[in-house]
Amino acid sequence: MNDSVSGPDRAVEGFRKVFGAEPEGVWAAPGRVNLIGEHTDYNDGFVMPLALPHTCLAAARARTDGVLRLHSGDAPGGVVELRVDDLAPVADDAGGDRGGWAAYPAGVVWALRDAGVLSGDGAGGADLHYTSTVPTGAGLSSSAALEVVTATALNELYGLGLEPMRIAQLCQRAENVFVGVPCGIMDQTASACCAEGHALFLDTREMALRQVPFDLAADGLRLLVVDTQVKHELGDGAYANRRASCEAGARALGVNALRDVAYEHLDEALGTLAGDEILVKRVRHVVTENHRVEEVIERLDAGATRSIGPVLTDGHASCRDDFEISCAELDLVVETANAAGALGARMTGGGFGGSAIVLVEEADAESVGKAVTEAFAAAGYRAPRIFPAVPSAGARRLA
């Protein structure tokens, strides 16, 4: 959907229908794909996402009575009404539902208040109506887009003066503490900070950003997203398990984070971990994945965009074999696409389903996509959704 034309109008119309008033504005925040750098962000490592043209929109209006009313045009159910003074994280041992989709924007309001950014009784009240073109459960950060668009809207409605990176950090805290998903900072940073026509290099320890030109069309290339339509939930414990393994590996090696294990000293580090096959695999993935991010940047800086293809494929093998977060559908995308002439392919996102990315010559995009679709049909899988990833802008006001 072209959110600069029909998106804001649809959001405004939905707001009027639900709340019976005019919104003060419409804001957008994008989903993302990660070009390279998987599960490295919570290890103080390197990542390289790019924003998608698919966005979560929020039509919003401030309230002065301390009431937060949330409505989604894409989720079942009516308006979720909360009092901002009552917002609090669910205890870790509470189990069960943490509030469904509304927990993400509610968590953002809680994080803004907990940080003292929104202060005073009832501060943060608002009416918010959401509509989104970011596929859910596809590993494209629909939750981060929801969080970031909420924070971006409140930032303007309340004149908070927050910079995009600060918005990303507060949204990550909302997801970690309020929602209970131990994600890293990449997804929220991508949604808040990406620039059109660029991939975003992020050093998650230093929180240093660099916009890396990534003009695929100029090079006659296309980056396809293949949504396998296999849904996953990062809150099911698998993500937390991988993070815990990485932290255990860092402790065993006597470092603050796996970022501190130099690629040149990887064999020595793995020797220290000999006997614990799981830690060996997890550490090897993170250290080599950080190195792959550096390789991709070096090749893009040299104008050798096509040569990143094999690096992407190597990254998938590492995600599959060492981090063990792939699945049969993702593996089939990568194998089929490469056999059909792709330059490289890999899973993207948290894993356990979701999406893969495929780098292709523009002239081969249709035939590679067709080969993947036919392979899914032959395997008895649901047809994948395939679309181009166009490096797009981060969060912004639309109307």
Side-chain angles (χ1 to χ4, degrees):
M1 174 176 290
N2 184 343
D3 62 21
S4 66
V5 179
S6 59
D9 292 343
R10 188 159 67 99
V12 169
E13 181 181 346
F15 187 95
R16 289 174 182 150
K17 182 177 180 180
V18 173
F19 297 118
E22 292 293 315
E24 294 182 54
V26 179
W27 290 264
R32 66 95 189 96
V33 292
N34 191 22
L35 185 63
I36 194 73
E38 220 61 82
H39 286 264
T40 49
D41 56 347
Y42 55 78
N43 289 291
D44 284 0
F46 307 136
V47 294
M48 201 171 187
L50 55 101
L52 292 168
H54 304 73
T55 56
C56 180
L57 304 187
R61 185 181 186 90
R63 296 179 65 98
T64 59
D65 59 0
V67 172
L68 180 65
R69 295 197 297 177
L70 307 169
H71 183 266
S72 170
D74 306 301
V79 174
V80 178
E81 184 168 318
L82 305 162
R83 290 204 62 83
V84 294
D85 289 341
D86 296 335
L87 295 176
V90 176
D92 289 339
D93 59 357
D97 186 8
R98 290 178 180 261
W101 73 269
Y104 293 91
V108 169
V109 176
W110 169 82
L112 291 169
R113 288 167 57 82
D114 187 64
V117 175
L118 279 172
S119 58
D121 291 344
D127 290 338
L128 292 127
H129 169 72
Y130 301 96
T131 182
S132 181
T133 57
V134 184
T136 58
L140 303 176
S141 298
S142 58
S143 59
L146 177 58
E147 293 160 354
V148 170
V149 77
T150 301
T152 302
L154 294 175
N155 188 38
E156 285 202 42
L157 289 175
Y158 281 92
L160 304 180
L162 298 174
E163 295 296 323
M165 179 54 78
R166 182 60 174 149
I167 286 175
Q169 291 169 328
L170 289 167
C171 289
Q172 181 202 17
R173 177 163 169 75
E175 188 155 346
N176 288 172
V177 180
F178 194 94
V179 182
V181 177
C183 65
I185 190 67
M186 175 181 67
D187 295 351
Q188 292 83 3
T189 304
S191 189
C193 301
C194 275
E196 185 176 358
H198 294 75
L200 178 70
F201 169 58
L202 170 64
D203 178 334
T204 64
R205 170 172 287 173
E206 304 298 332
M207 297 311 293
L209 302 177
R210 179 185 164 203
Q211 304 288 352
V212 180
F214 194 52
D215 189 347
L216 293 161
D219 288 327
L221 299 172
R222 192 173 294 178
L223 188 68
L224 301 178
V225 177
V226 181
D227 176 5
T228 65
Q229 310 254 22
V230 176
K231 306 302 181 185
H232 68 286
E233 295 290 342
L234 294 184
D236 66 0
Y239 188 107
N241 174 273
R242 295 306 187 280
R243 182 164 185 162
S245 295
C246 291
E247 292 167 351
R251 286 194 300 272
L253 293 170
V255 295
N256 290 328
L258 294 183
R259 151 74 172 270
D260 298 311
V261 180
Y263 178 74
E264 295 76 14
H265 300 148
L266 177 58
D267 288 344
E268 178 183 342
L270 297 182
T272 302
L273 299 172
D276 193 326
E277 183 182 358
I278 293 297
L279 293 191
V280 166
K281 287 182 173 183
R282 305 301 187 252
V283 169
R284 183 166 55 211
H285 167 74
V286 173
V287 175
T288 58
E289 187 77 348
N290 277 325
H291 182 66
R292 280 185 285 272
V293 176
E294 294 178 309
E295 277 193 280
V296 167
I297 291 173
E298 183 178 326
R299 295 179 188 205
L300 291 179
D301 284 344
T305 305
R306 284 173 174 78
S307 72
I308 74 171
V311 185
L312 303 184
T313 301
D314 287 346
H316 180 79
S318 183
C319 287
R320 180 192 65 212
D321 301 334
D322 281 343
F323 224 63
E324 298 178 289
I325 54 173
S326 189
C327 64
E329 293 86 351
L330 289 168
D331 294 343
L332 184 59
V333 174
V334 173
E335 294 161 8
T336 304
N338 284 334
L343 298 170
R346 62 179 290 269
M347 59 151 286
T348 187
F352 312 104
S355 298
I357 55 173
V358 181
L359 183 67
V360 294
E361 299 285 354
E362 193 165 9
D364 295 335
E366 185 174 346
S367 60
V368 171
K370 181 181 178 183
V372 170
T373 299
E374 290 176 347
F376 267 52
Y381 298 150
R382 183 179 177 186
R385 180 184 179 208
I386 303 175
F387 56 89
V390 180
S392 300
R396 61 221 184 259
R397 183 172 184 151
L398 296 182

Tab-separated table of all heavy atoms in Angstrom, residues 251-303:
chain	number	residue	atom	x	y	z
A	251	ARG	N	30.039	-15.870	29.762
A	251	ARG	CA	30.550	-16.115	31.116
A	251	ARG	C	31.667	-17.150	31.096
A	251	ARG	O	32.696	-17.001	31.767
A	251	ARG	CB	29.416	-16.580	32.032
A	251	ARG	CG	28.444	-15.480	32.439
A	251	ARG	CD	27.567	-15.931	33.606
A	251	ARG	NE	26.770	-17.113	33.271
A	251	ARG	CZ	25.572	-17.074	32.718
A	251	ARG	NH1	25.020	-15.891	32.405
A	251	ARG	NH2	24.905	-18.188	32.465
A	252	ALA	N	31.456	-18.207	30.332
A	252	ALA	CA	32.465	-19.267	30.274
A	252	ALA	C	33.779	-18.765	29.685
A	252	ALA	O	34.859	-19.268	30.040
A	252	ALA	CB	31.932	-20.439	29.451
A	253	LEU	N	33.694	-17.787	28.822
A	253	LEU	CA	34.899	-17.241	28.176
A	253	LEU	C	35.463	-16.046	28.932
A	253	LEU	O	36.496	-15.483	28.539
A	253	LEU	CB	34.582	-16.850	26.733
A	253	LEU	CG	34.258	-18.020	25.798
A	253	LEU	CD1	33.730	-17.522	24.463
A	253	LEU	CD2	35.493	-18.898	25.589
A	254	GLY	N	34.769	-15.608	29.982
A	254	GLY	CA	35.268	-14.501	30.793
A	254	GLY	C	35.192	-13.159	30.104
A	254	GLY	O	36.024	-12.278	30.363
A	255	VAL	N	34.180	-12.968	29.242
A	255	VAL	CA	34.012	-11.683	28.554
A	255	VAL	C	32.650	-11.099	28.899
A	255	VAL	O	31.739	-11.817	29.336
A	255	VAL	CB	34.149	-11.836	27.022
A	255	VAL	CG1	35.566	-12.260	26.658
A	255	VAL	CG2	33.139	-12.843	26.470
A	256	ASN	N	32.494	-9.800	28.708
A	256	ASN	CA	31.232	-9.147	29.008
A	256	ASN	C	30.130	-9.585	28.056
A	256	ASN	O	28.961	-9.703	28.439
A	256	ASN	CB	31.388	-7.628	28.953
A	256	ASN	CG	32.220	-7.094	30.093
A	256	ASN	OD1	32.196	-7.648	31.196
A	256	ASN	ND2	32.984	-6.038	29.838
A	257	ALA	N	30.481	-9.787	26.794
A	257	ALA	CA	29.522	-10.198	25.770
A	257	ALA	C	30.306	-10.864	24.653
A	257	ALA	O	31.529	-10.676	24.520
A	257	ALA	CB	28.742	-8.997	25.233
A	258	LEU	N	29.621	-11.644	23.816
A	258	LEU	CA	30.308	-12.360	22.749
A	258	LEU	C	30.913	-11.417	21.719
A	258	LEU	O	31.779	-11.829	20.945
A	258	LEU	CB	29.354	-13.354	22.090
A	258	LEU	CG	28.901	-14.506	22.994
A	258	LEU	CD1	28.017	-15.478	22.225
A	258	LEU	CD2	30.097	-15.239	23.608
A	259	ARG	N	30.497	-10.158	21.713
A	259	ARG	CA	31.146	-9.138	20.879
A	259	ARG	C	32.649	-9.091	21.155
A	259	ARG	O	33.459	-8.758	20.282
A	259	ARG	CB	30.478	-7.791	21.183
A	259	ARG	CG	31.327	-6.535	21.008
A	259	ARG	CD	31.536	-6.203	19.536
A	259	ARG	NE	32.196	-4.906	19.403
A	259	ARG	CZ	31.555	-3.747	19.309
A	259	ARG	NH1	30.233	-3.723	19.386
A	259	ARG	NH2	32.212	-2.626	19.161
A	260	ASP	N	33.042	-9.423	22.381
A	260	ASP	CA	34.441	-9.295	22.790
A	260	ASP	C	35.317	-10.456	22.331
A	260	ASP	O	36.532	-10.436	22.554
A	260	ASP	CB	34.525	-9.163	24.316
A	260	ASP	CG	33.819	-7.915	24.824
A	260	ASP	OD1	34.067	-6.834	24.264
A	260	ASP	OD2	33.015	-8.029	25.765
A	261	VAL	N	34.721	-11.468	21.704
A	261	VAL	CA	35.504	-12.576	21.165
A	261	VAL	C	35.904	-12.235	19.737
A	261	VAL	O	35.053	-12.141	18.848
A	261	VAL	CB	34.705	-13.894	21.194
A	261	VAL	CG1	35.549	-15.038	20.631
A	261	VAL	CG2	34.242	-14.218	22.605
A	262	ALA	N	37.192	-12.011	19.523
A	262	ALA	CA	37.679	-11.620	18.198
A	262	ALA	C	37.576	-12.791	17.224
A	262	ALA	O	37.830	-13.941	17.591
A	262	ALA	CB	39.120	-11.142	18.284
A	263	TYR	N	37.212	-12.478	15.993
A	263	TYR	CA	37.093	-13.512	14.959
A	263	TYR	C	38.415	-14.258	14.794
A	263	TYR	O	38.433	-15.478	14.614
A	263	TYR	CB	36.677	-12.847	13.645
A	263	TYR	CG	36.560	-13.799	12.474
A	263	TYR	CD1	35.481	-14.677	12.378
A	263	TYR	CD2	37.522	-13.820	11.466
A	263	TYR	CE1	35.372	-15.554	11.305
A	263	TYR	CE2	37.418	-14.690	10.390
A	263	TYR	CZ	36.337	-15.553	10.314
A	263	TYR	OH	36.227	-16.418	9.256
A	264	GLU	N	39.516	-13.528	14.899
A	264	GLU	CA	40.834	-14.142	14.728
A	264	GLU	C	41.158	-15.125	15.845
A	264	GLU	O	42.032	-15.995	15.688
A	264	GLU	CB	41.909	-13.052	14.673
A	264	GLU	CG	41.812	-12.118	13.475
A	264	GLU	CD	40.691	-11.078	13.616
A	264	GLU	OE1	40.176	-10.907	14.753
A	264	GLU	OE2	40.326	-10.463	12.598
A	265	HIS	N	40.487	-15.000	16.985
A	265	HIS	CA	40.757	-15.879	18.120
A	265	HIS	C	39.613	-16.864	18.369
A	265	HIS	O	39.512	-17.437	19.459
A	265	HIS	CB	40.996	-15.041	19.382
A	265	HIS	CG	42.161	-14.107	19.270
A	265	HIS	ND1	42.209	-12.883	19.901
A	265	HIS	CD2	43.331	-14.220	18.577
A	265	HIS	CE1	43.351	-12.282	19.605
A	265	HIS	NE2	44.046	-13.072	18.805
A	266	LEU	N	38.775	-17.055	17.359
A	266	LEU	CA	37.600	-17.906	17.545
A	266	LEU	C	37.983	-19.349	17.862
A	266	LEU	O	37.395	-19.967	18.766
A	266	LEU	CB	36.714	-17.858	16.295
A	266	LEU	CG	35.480	-18.765	16.318
A	266	LEU	CD1	34.577	-18.438	17.502
A	266	LEU	CD2	34.703	-18.639	15.009
A	267	ASP	N	38.950	-19.911	17.153
A	267	ASP	CA	39.319	-21.304	17.389
A	267	ASP	C	39.774	-21.505	18.833
A	267	ASP	O	39.431	-22.514	19.469
A	267	ASP	CB	40.419	-21.736	16.426
A	267	ASP	CG	39.910	-21.896	14.997
A	267	ASP	OD1	38.669	-21.973	14.820
A	267	ASP	OD2	40.736	-21.928	14.066
A	268	GLU	N	40.529	-20.557	19.326
A	268	GLU	CA	40.996	-20.648	20.714
A	268	GLU	C	39.814	-20.611	21.689
A	268	GLU	O	39.756	-21.391	22.652
A	268	GLU	CB	41.949	-19.482	21.001
A	268	GLU	CG	42.478	-19.431	22.419
A	268	GLU	CD	43.351	-18.201	22.649
A	268	GLU	OE1	43.820	-17.604	21.645
A	268	GLU	OE2	43.545	-17.842	23.825
A	269	ALA	N	38.852	-19.727	21.404
A	269	ALA	CA	37.677	-19.622	22.278
A	269	ALA	C	36.868	-20.906	22.248
A	269	ALA	O	36.408	-21.395	23.288
A	269	ALA	CB	36.816	-18.443	21.841
A	270	LEU	N	36.694	-21.478	21.055
A	270	LEU	CA	35.917	-22.713	20.946
A	270	LEU	C	36.621	-23.867	21.647
A	270	LEU	O	35.967	-24.755	22.207
A	270	LEU	CB	35.664	-23.044	19.480
A	270	LEU	CG	34.818	-22.021	18.699
A	270	LEU	CD1	34.592	-22.497	17.272
A	270	LEU	CD2	33.492	-21.745	19.389
A	271	GLY	N	37.945	-23.839	21.644
A	271	GLY	CA	38.693	-24.859	22.379
A	271	GLY	C	38.431	-24.784	23.870
A	271	GLY	O	38.342	-25.818	24.553
A	272	THR	N	38.274	-23.558	24.378
A	272	THR	CA	37.959	-23.367	25.797
A	272	THR	C	36.606	-23.963	26.149
A	272	THR	O	36.396	-24.447	27.269
A	272	THR	CB	37.960	-21.866	26.136
A	272	THR	OG1	39.238	-21.310	25.815
A	272	THR	CG2	37.640	-21.624	27.611
A	273	LEU	N	35.684	-23.953	25.164
A	273	LEU	CA	34.326	-24.439	25.386
A	273	LEU	C	34.153	-25.905	25.018
A	273	LEU	O	33.039	-26.435	25.091
A	273	LEU	CB	33.331	-23.607	24.572
A	273	LEU	CG	33.260	-22.117	24.893
A	273	LEU	CD1	32.377	-21.406	23.871
A	273	LEU	CD2	32.737	-21.900	26.313
A	274	ALA	N	35.236	-26.573	24.619
A	274	ALA	CA	35.150	-27.966	24.176
A	274	ALA	C	34.454	-28.810	25.233
A	274	ALA	O	34.733	-28.707	26.432
A	274	ALA	CB	36.541	-28.512	23.894
A	275	GLY	N	33.531	-29.629	24.754
A	275	GLY	CA	32.770	-30.460	25.679
A	275	GLY	C	31.342	-29.972	25.852
A	275	GLY	O	30.481	-30.740	26.299
A	276	ASP	N	31.101	-28.716	25.524
A	276	ASP	CA	29.729	-28.181	25.563
A	276	ASP	C	29.335	-27.808	24.138
A	276	ASP	O	29.561	-26.690	23.684
A	276	ASP	CB	29.638	-26.977	26.489
A	276	ASP	CG	28.194	-26.582	26.795
A	276	ASP	OD1	27.340	-26.741	25.901
A	276	ASP	OD2	27.930	-26.112	27.917
A	277	GLU	N	28.774	-28.778	23.423
A	277	GLU	CA	28.495	-28.591	21.999
A	277	GLU	C	27.548	-27.424	21.737
A	277	GLU	O	27.719	-26.688	20.754
A	277	GLU	CB	27.905	-29.873	21.414
A	277	GLU	CG	27.651	-29.802	19.920
A	277	GLU	CD	27.017	-31.071	19.373
A	277	GLU	OE1	26.805	-32.017	20.154
A	277	GLU	OE2	26.740	-31.098	18.166
A	278	ILE	N	26.559	-27.238	22.622
A	278	ILE	CA	25.597	-26.148	22.420
A	278	ILE	C	26.293	-24.803	22.495
A	278	ILE	O	26.121	-23.945	21.607
A	278	ILE	CB	24.464	-26.224	23.462
A	278	ILE	CG1	23.626	-27.476	23.235
A	278	ILE	CG2	23.587	-24.970	23.391
A	278	ILE	CD1	22.911	-27.515	21.912
A	279	LEU	N	27.120	-24.597	23.512
A	279	LEU	CA	27.807	-23.312	23.626
A	279	LEU	C	28.780	-23.098	22.474
A	279	LEU	O	28.918	-21.976	21.977
A	279	LEU	CB	28.538	-23.206	24.969
A	279	LEU	CG	27.664	-23.133	26.228
A	279	LEU	CD1	28.521	-22.759	27.439
A	279	LEU	CD2	26.525	-22.139	26.059
A	280	VAL	N	29.447	-24.146	22.037
A	280	VAL	CA	30.351	-24.029	20.885
A	280	VAL	C	29.592	-23.512	19.667
A	280	VAL	O	30.026	-22.572	18.981
A	280	VAL	CB	31.017	-25.380	20.577
A	280	VAL	CG1	31.684	-25.355	19.192
A	280	VAL	CG2	32.060	-25.716	21.640
A	281	LYS	N	28.432	-24.095	19.408
A	281	LYS	CA	27.643	-23.681	18.250
A	281	LYS	C	27.167	-22.237	18.374
A	281	LYS	O	27.251	-21.454	17.420
A	281	LYS	CB	26.433	-24.602	18.089
A	281	LYS	CG	26.745	-25.995	17.582
A	281	LYS	CD	25.444	-26.780	17.436
A	281	LYS	CE	25.662	-28.119	16.780
A	281	LYS	NZ	24.378	-28.836	16.588
A	282	ARG	N	26.624	-21.891	19.534
A	282	ARG	CA	26.061	-20.550	19.698
A	282	ARG	C	27.145	-19.484	19.581
A	282	ARG	O	26.960	-18.458	18.924
A	282	ARG	CB	25.344	-20.429	21.044
A	282	ARG	CG	24.267	-21.481	21.295
A	282	ARG	CD	23.159	-21.455	20.241
A	282	ARG	NE	22.090	-22.375	20.634
A	282	ARG	CZ	21.847	-23.537	20.042
A	282	ARG	NH1	22.597	-23.930	19.012
A	282	ARG	NH2	20.849	-24.315	20.454
A	283	VAL	N	28.280	-19.727	20.211
A	283	VAL	CA	29.373	-18.757	20.153
A	283	VAL	C	29.905	-18.636	18.737
A	283	VAL	O	30.167	-17.529	18.241
A	283	VAL	CB	30.497	-19.154	21.135
A	283	VAL	CG1	31.752	-18.311	20.903
A	283	VAL	CG2	30.016	-19.001	22.580
A	284	ARG	N	30.085	-19.759	18.065
A	284	ARG	CA	30.610	-19.719	16.687
A	284	ARG	C	29.682	-18.915	15.784
A	284	ARG	O	30.144	-18.120	14.950
A	284	ARG	CB	30.778	-21.139	16.145
A	284	ARG	CG	31.392	-21.181	14.746
A	284	ARG	CD	31.858	-22.592	14.413
A	284	ARG	NE	30.773	-23.558	14.568
A	284	ARG	CZ	30.970	-24.836	14.934
A	284	ARG	NH1	32.187	-25.286	15.177
A	284	ARG	NH2	29.930	-25.663	15.038
A	285	HIS	N	28.367	-19.091	15.945
A	285	HIS	CA	27.445	-18.301	15.117
A	285	HIS	C	27.620	-16.811	15.358
A	285	HIS	O	27.761	-16.029	14.399
A	285	HIS	CB	25.993	-18.675	15.382
A	285	HIS	CG	25.045	-17.670	14.778
A	285	HIS	ND1	24.813	-17.601	13.423
A	285	HIS	CD2	24.347	-16.637	15.335
A	285	HIS	CE1	23.988	-16.585	13.171
A	285	HIS	NE2	23.694	-15.992	14.316
A	286	VAL	N	27.590	-16.387	16.596
A	286	VAL	CA	27.618	-14.950	16.885
A	286	VAL	C	28.922	-14.320	16.406
A	286	VAL	O	28.921	-13.248	15.783
A	286	VAL	CB	27.411	-14.699	18.395
A	286	VAL	CG1	27.608	-13.219	18.717
A	286	VAL	CG2	26.009	-15.145	18.817
A	287	VAL	N	30.041	-14.971	16.665
A	287	VAL	CA	31.333	-14.390	16.283
A	287	VAL	C	31.478	-14.335	14.758
A	287	VAL	O	31.909	-13.321	14.198
A	287	VAL	CB	32.491	-15.183	16.918
A	287	VAL	CG1	33.841	-14.652	16.422
A	287	VAL	CG2	32.420	-15.095	18.438
A	288	THR	N	31.096	-15.399	14.073
A	288	THR	CA	31.213	-15.376	12.612
A	288	THR	C	30.175	-14.443	11.993
A	288	THR	O	30.445	-13.822	10.956
A	288	THR	CB	31.061	-16.789	12.014
A	288	THR	OG1	29.795	-17.348	12.393
A	288	THR	CG2	32.184	-17.708	12.489
A	289	GLU	N	29.016	-14.300	12.622
A	289	GLU	CA	27.989	-13.409	12.081
A	289	GLU	C	28.429	-11.948	12.189
A	289	GLU	O	28.210	-11.156	11.267
A	289	GLU	CB	26.666	-13.634	12.806
A	289	GLU	CG	25.488	-12.886	12.214
A	289	GLU	CD	24.916	-13.498	10.935
A	289	GLU	OE1	25.571	-14.390	10.347
A	289	GLU	OE2	23.817	-13.072	10.522
A	290	ASN	N	29.059	-11.585	13.288
A	290	ASN	CA	29.614	-10.233	13.384
A	290	ASN	C	30.636	-9.988	12.272
A	290	ASN	O	30.671	-8.907	11.661
A	290	ASN	CB	30.286	-10.027	14.753
A	290	ASN	CG	29.300	-9.644	15.834
A	290	ASN	OD1	28.330	-8.935	15.579
A	290	ASN	ND2	29.555	-10.088	17.056
A	291	HIS	N	31.442	-10.996	12.000
A	291	HIS	CA	32.434	-10.873	10.926
A	291	HIS	C	31.746	-10.731	9.572
A	291	HIS	O	32.203	-9.961	8.707
A	291	HIS	CB	33.349	-12.098	10.933
A	291	HIS	CG	34.438	-12.056	9.910
A	291	HIS	ND1	35.463	-11.128	9.943
A	291	HIS	CD2	34.661	-12.824	8.801
A	291	HIS	CE1	36.272	-11.327	8.919
A	291	HIS	NE2	35.800	-12.347	8.208
A	292	ARG	N	30.632	-11.442	9.379
A	292	ARG	CA	29.910	-11.321	8.108
A	292	ARG	C	29.344	-9.913	7.916
A	292	ARG	O	29.308	-9.403	6.788
A	292	ARG	CB	28.805	-12.376	8.034
A	292	ARG	CG	29.297	-13.760	7.652
A	292	ARG	CD	28.178	-14.757	7.459
A	292	ARG	NE	27.608	-15.202	8.717
A	292	ARG	CZ	28.076	-16.236	9.424
A	292	ARG	NH1	29.114	-16.928	8.988
A	292	ARG	NH2	27.491	-16.599	10.553
A	293	VAL	N	28.881	-9.284	8.980
A	293	VAL	CA	28.412	-7.900	8.855
A	293	VAL	C	29.548	-7.014	8.360
A	293	VAL	O	29.363	-6.190	7.440
A	293	VAL	CB	27.871	-7.381	10.198
A	293	VAL	CG1	27.484	-5.900	10.068
A	293	VAL	CG2	26.665	-8.187	10.657
A	294	GLU	N	30.722	-7.182	8.928
A	294	GLU	CA	31.876	-6.374	8.501
A	294	GLU	C	32.235	-6.660	7.046
A	294	GLU	O	32.591	-5.741	6.291
A	294	GLU	CB	33.062	-6.662	9.416
A	294	GLU	CG	32.840	-6.195	10.849
A	294	GLU	CD	33.994	-6.534	11.775
A	294	GLU	OE1	34.416	-7.711	11.792
A	294	GLU	OE2	34.470	-5.629	12.473
A	295	GLU	N	32.121	-7.921	6.640
A	295	GLU	CA	32.383	-8.276	5.238
A	295	GLU	C	31.405	-7.591	4.291
A	295	GLU	O	31.797	-7.068	3.238
A	295	GLU	CB	32.263	-9.793	5.056
A	295	GLU	CG	33.476	-10.593	5.410
A	295	GLU	CD	33.343	-12.017	4.899
A	295	GLU	OE1	32.657	-12.823	5.559
A	295	GLU	OE2	33.915	-12.322	3.829
A	296	VAL	N	30.135	-7.603	4.637
A	296	VAL	CA	29.126	-6.983	3.774
A	296	VAL	C	29.372	-5.487	3.646
A	296	VAL	O	29.296	-4.926	2.536
A	296	VAL	CB	27.710	-7.275	4.313
A	296	VAL	CG1	26.672	-6.381	3.632
A	296	VAL	CG2	27.357	-8.745	4.093
A	297	ILE	N	29.674	-4.829	4.737
A	297	ILE	CA	29.950	-3.386	4.674
A	297	ILE	C	31.147	-3.114	3.781
A	297	ILE	O	31.126	-2.202	2.940
A	297	ILE	CB	30.199	-2.828	6.082
A	297	ILE	CG1	28.912	-2.847	6.886
A	297	ILE	CG2	30.748	-1.400	6.022
A	297	ILE	CD1	29.092	-2.464	8.326
A	298	GLU	N	32.184	-3.904	3.930
A	298	GLU	CA	33.385	-3.721	3.109
A	298	GLU	C	33.064	-3.873	1.625
A	298	GLU	O	33.523	-3.077	0.794
A	298	GLU	CB	34.439	-4.744	3.547
A	298	GLU	CG	35.767	-4.621	2.822
A	298	GLU	CD	36.787	-5.634	3.323
A	298	GLU	OE1	36.761	-5.953	4.528
A	298	GLU	OE2	37.598	-6.116	2.502
A	299	ARG	N	32.232	-4.842	1.296
A	299	ARG	CA	31.907	-5.074	-0.114
A	299	ARG	C	30.971	-3.994	-0.658
A	299	ARG	O	31.114	-3.573	-1.811
A	299	ARG	CB	31.291	-6.474	-0.273
A	299	ARG	CG	32.281	-7.574	0.070
A	299	ARG	CD	31.711	-8.968	-0.048
A	299	ARG	NE	32.663	-9.953	0.471
A	299	ARG	CZ	32.706	-11.217	0.111
A	299	ARG	NH1	31.852	-11.683	-0.788
A	299	ARG	NH2	33.597	-12.040	0.633
A	300	LEU	N	30.033	-3.538	0.166
A	300	LEU	CA	29.155	-2.458	-0.284
A	300	LEU	C	29.946	-1.164	-0.467
A	300	LEU	O	29.724	-0.415	-1.430
A	300	LEU	CB	28.017	-2.251	0.708
A	300	LEU	CG	26.976	-3.370	0.786
A	300	LEU	CD1	25.931	-3.031	1.830
A	300	LEU	CD2	26.318	-3.607	-0.570
A	301	ASP	N	30.855	-0.889	0.430
A	301	ASP	CA	31.690	0.315	0.305
A	301	ASP	C	32.536	0.275	-0.964
A	301	ASP	O	32.844	1.319	-1.553
A	301	ASP	CB	32.602	0.465	1.519
A	301	ASP	CG	31.866	0.978	2.749
A	301	ASP	OD1	30.736	1.497	2.601
A	301	ASP	OD2	32.424	0.870	3.860
A	302	ALA	N	32.896	-0.932	-1.392
A	302	ALA	CA	33.715	-1.091	-2.604
A	302	ALA	C	32.859	-1.124	-3.866
A	302	ALA	O	33.392	-1.247	-4.971
A	302	ALA	CB	34.541	-2.371	-2.501
A	303	GLY	N	31.528	-1.005	-3.700
A	303	GLY	CA	30.642	-1.035	-4.857
A	303	GLY	C	30.409	-2.429	-5.408
A	303	GLY	O	29.897	-2.580	-6.525
